[in-house]
Amino acid sequence: MEKPALHTKKHYAILDGLRGVAAIMVVAFHIMEAHATSHLDQVINHGYLAVDFFFLLSGFVISYAYDDRWSKMNVTDFFKIRLVRLQPMVVMGMIIGALTFYYQDSSLWPTIHQVPVWKTIVIMLIGFTLIPVPPSMDIRGWQEMHPLNGPGWSLFFEYIGNILYALFVRKFSNKALSILVFLSGCLLIHLAVTSPNGDVIGGWSLDSTQLHIGFSRMLFPFFGGLLLHRMVKLTTIKNAFWWASLLTVAVLAMPRIGGSEHLWMNGIYDSLSIILVFPLIVFLGASGEVTGKYATRICKFLGEISYPIYITHYPLIYLYTAWVVGAKISFEEALPMSVLTLIGAVLIAYACLKLYDEPIRIWLKKKGFEKELIAVF
């Protein structure tokens, strides 16, 4: 017997726009990272927290989209929906990474030219599945679980969060979920305050230390977003997109706190941003409405490119970083190229969305891979 259709709900356009704002800040963060001697002196210093913001957004929207729909779908249906939403761009990100890999050969990654093509292809094919590779299979030298496209690590943990939600956490009472979120928050604070670097940066390698960081970064915001949706009572806030965007940029661009002598202070900043400020931003965004044609267009565009730009921009960053480090280029000298890199990331993301991602998802829907696509992250 055919399952009833899953009817489309109201779409949180502002949350889409905020995700795009954070994604562009990630690109800017990675561009500036190439010019920093360490994260202590980096401009756009806390751009790495965008990943934690993405996790919280995902938890909130997934709770909104699916909590009341389990009578009309099963776990397999949920996984199909999520795979169709996320996996095509994962594949494209790995393809772009493979196509640009050998052009990244430089003093920063001096052994790239020694990697046989067959091995790069194998790593790409494994990357299509998001199965992480161990450090022994690294082909770059950074021990990434996805050497062709580093940000794949956060999608790996995103999938884990989705799996935990579908199999177990969706059945939790609000009290049980609150306990999980509280314990996850304690884990996150401990990571941030005791980190040897004074931050939550990490999660991209398949070893015990990095897995600890990855799980600590995913558990609180993802399930905190779930709890936020279940517990919060939304209100009406004027100009919510602009206020929430300004707050998002301010948090991610904030200079380093405490310096090298008080690393724990930056850990406190990271913790408070994830635990308090990001839920506030999501609350603001969910409580507002997009008004005016310009705001509507901006939100729509940012929402459309948010995921594609995040999952496809890093191969460009590899190229940019290899050039900057290899030739010892200052930011002033590199400014035109940095702007071109940012613009290029946006254009590639939009092209991938319109020419590849959307057609693929429409094709999968026609083939019956899922009954209905739901407009969530």
Side-chain angles (χ1 to χ4, degrees):
M1 182 176 179
E2 185 175 341
K3 293 182 177 64
L6 300 177
H7 301 293
T8 303
K9 296 183 175 184
K10 169 190 172 182
H11 191 72
Y12 285 120
I14 292 179
L15 297 186
D16 275 359
L18 293 176
R19 186 177 178 90
V21 169
I24 290 176
M25 289 295 290
V26 168
V27 181
F29 167 77
H30 285 141
I31 289 172
M32 300 307 299
E33 194 173 28
H35 299 278
T37 60
S38 73
H39 285 294
L40 294 175
D41 63 0
Q42 183 174 342
V43 180
I44 311 181
N45 199 283
H46 290 85
Y48 56 87
L49 292 176
V51 170
D52 310 88
F53 182 57
F54 294 152
F55 285 145
L56 195 136
L57 274 173
S58 292
F60 182 91
V61 178
I62 283 174
S63 175
Y64 166 72
Y66 301 110
D67 269 0
D68 61 354
R69 291 182 170 178
W70 288 98
S71 63
K72 298 179 181 179
M73 68 178 188
N74 56 35
V75 172
T76 301
D77 295 328
F78 175 79
F79 288 153
K80 285 181 178 180
I81 293 169
R82 299 308 290 153
L83 281 171
V84 170
R85 176 65 184 94
L86 299 174
Q87 203 62 25
M89 286 307 303
V90 168
V91 172
M92 178 55 68
M94 296 299 169
I95 291 173
I96 294 173
L99 291 174
T100 59
F101 179 65
Y102 291 101
Y103 295 99
Q104 299 156 16
D105 194 14
S106 63
S107 60
L108 187 60
W109 301 298
T111 61
I112 282 181
H113 66 277
Q114 299 174 9
V115 179
V117 173
W118 68 263
K119 191 170 185 180
T120 301
I121 293 174
V122 168
I123 295 297
M124 179 185 71
L125 294 176
I126 295 174
F128 288 172
T129 69
L130 269 189
I131 295 173
V133 299
S136 61
M137 295 182 67
D138 181 33
I139 59 175
R140 179 179 304 282
W142 276 3
Q143 298 189 338
E144 298 161 292
M145 63 172 67
H146 298 294
L148 294 175
N149 191 20
W153 74 267
S154 63
L155 269 296
F156 169 72
F157 283 103
E158 171 86 12
Y159 272 149
I160 291 177
N162 278 255
I163 291 169
L164 292 175
Y165 165 76
L167 296 182
F168 309 109
V169 182
R170 66 180 174 86
K171 303 174 185 178
F172 282 15
S173 66
N174 288 349
K175 182 178 180 180
L177 182 58
S178 297
I179 293 172
L180 172 61
V181 170
F182 173 77
L183 294 176
S184 299
C186 293
L187 182 66
L188 177 67
I189 294 171
H190 180 267
L191 167 69
V193 175
T194 63
S195 166
N197 298 315
D199 53 47
V200 297
I201 295 176
W204 52 73
S205 187
L206 196 63
D207 62 50
S208 58
T209 299
Q210 292 294 313
L211 287 174
H212 169 232
I213 296 173
F215 276 106
S216 298
R217 294 185 70 179
M218 180 274 289
L219 287 172
F220 173 83
F222 188 87
F223 295 116
L226 212 70
L227 183 64
L228 180 67
H229 171 260
R230 289 188 181 183
M231 302 291 289
V232 74
K233 184 178 181 180
L234 299 178
T235 183
T236 302
I237 298 175
K238 294 183 178 180
N239 300 315
F241 172 65
W242 304 112
W243 287 116
S245 296
L246 182 63
L247 189 53
T248 300
V249 171
V251 171
L252 300 182
M254 178 66 70
R256 192 75 173 191
I257 308 295
S260 59
E261 296 181 354
H262 304 287
L263 293 172
W264 61 271
M265 294 178 65
N266 195 76
I268 292 293
Y269 176 83
D270 283 7
S271 303
L272 292 178
S273 296
I274 299 169
I275 294 173
L276 297 179
V277 182
F278 287 165
L280 173 61
I281 293 172
V282 172
F283 171 76
L284 290 174
S287 295
E289 295 287 345
V290 182
T291 57
K293 63 178 182 179
Y294 293 112
T296 301
R297 289 175 182 175
I298 290 172
C299 271
K300 183 176 184 295
F301 177 73
L302 290 173
E304 285 181 337
I305 68 166
S306 60
Y307 176 51
I309 197 173
Y310 178 74
I311 203 62
T312 62
H313 81 281
Y314 212 66
L316 295 183
I317 298 300
Y318 287 134
L319 291 168
Y320 180 84
T321 304
W323 172 64
V324 166
V325 174
K328 296 181 174 58
I329 306 293
S330 68
F331 178 68
E332 290 74 18
E333 295 172 309
L335 182 57
M337 187 60 68
S338 67
V339 173
L340 184 61
T341 300
L342 178 59
I343 294 173
V346 172
L347 293 177
I348 289 172
Y350 192 73
C352 288
L353 173 74
K354 295 300 181 181
L355 301 178
Y356 165 74
D357 188 43
E358 289 182 348
I360 285 289
R361 286 192 278 149
I362 291 172
W363 179 79
L364 288 170
K365 182 180 178 181
K366 288 180 178 178
K367 291 295 182 180
F369 193 76
E370 59 171 316
K371 298 300 180 185
E372 180 178 341
L373 293 177
I374 299 177
V376 299
F377 301 137

